[in-house]
Amino acid sequence: MDSKAFAYQSAEILARHNALDVLVMDIHDTAGWADYFVIATSTSAAHMRGLERHLEEFFANAEIALLNKPEVTDDQSWLLLDGGNVIIHIMTNEARAFYDLESLWFNAPRFSVTFNGKKES
C-alpha cells in the first residue's frame, strides 16, 4: 500500500470512530523523512485507546508494521504511531492546541477527513 492510501485509510478509520478534527497533511516536500502526517483529536484516554485498537486492527489486516509500539496511559495527551512514511498523531484537545503541529507545518497541504457513511456495528 502506498503512503497516500495508508494515510487516508488511517484518517478515515479515526473519523469513523469519532476522532475530532481529523486532518491529513502532505509533508513530503517539507520533510525528507516522511510523506504524511495524520492528526486527530481524542476526547479521553479511553477514546485514545479505542482509536489505537481500531488502527492496530487495520495495520494487522493490511500487514503494516509500525516502527514503535506505544502504550496508552490514563494521563497521556499525545499518542504517536510511526508508520515510516506516515506518522499518526492522536492528541487530546489541550495537547493539540499547545503543540499546534498545523502551524509548525504551515506550508504543508492539508485535507480534512470526515466519515459520512453508515457506521459499522
Side-chain angles (χ1 to χ4, degrees), residues 34 69 112:
K69 176 64 177 144
S112 293

Side-chain angles (χ1 to χ4, degrees), residues 14-15 17 28 38 40 46 51 54 59-61 64 71 74 79 101-103 106-107 109 114 121:
L14 292 168
H17 294 286
H28 81 274
V38 177
L51 293 170
H54 291 296
F59 301 152
N61 291 334
I64 296 169
E71 292 291 325
D74 286 341
L79 177 69
L101 295 178
E102 294 91 332
S103 290
F106 65 92
N107 287 337
T114 58
S121 306

Side-chain angles (χ1 to χ4, degrees), residues 3-80:
S3 58
K4 183 175 183 178
F6 175 21
Y8 278 94
Q9 287 181 33
S10 297
E12 184 181 298
I13 289 165
L14 292 168
R16 181 182 317 142
H17 294 286
N18 301 318
L20 305 174
D21 302 320
V22 180
L23 187 67
V24 175
M25 296 178 67
D26 182 344
I27 62 167
H28 81 274
D29 284 337
T30 309
W33 43 268
D35 293 334
Y36 293 93
F37 275 175
V38 177
I39 305 172
T41 302
S42 68
T43 58
S44 66
H47 187 216
M48 190 179 287
R49 279 191 293 274
L51 293 170
E52 178 192 24
R53 188 180 73 248
H54 291 296
L55 286 171
E56 285 180 352
E57 290 171 8
F58 163 61
F59 301 152
N61 291 334
E63 299 180 353
I64 296 169
L66 291 180
L67 300 177
N68 67 331
K69 176 64 177 144
E71 292 291 325
V72 180
T73 61
D74 286 341
D75 63 344
Q76 192 158 347
S77 61
W78 186 350
L79 177 69
L80 186 140

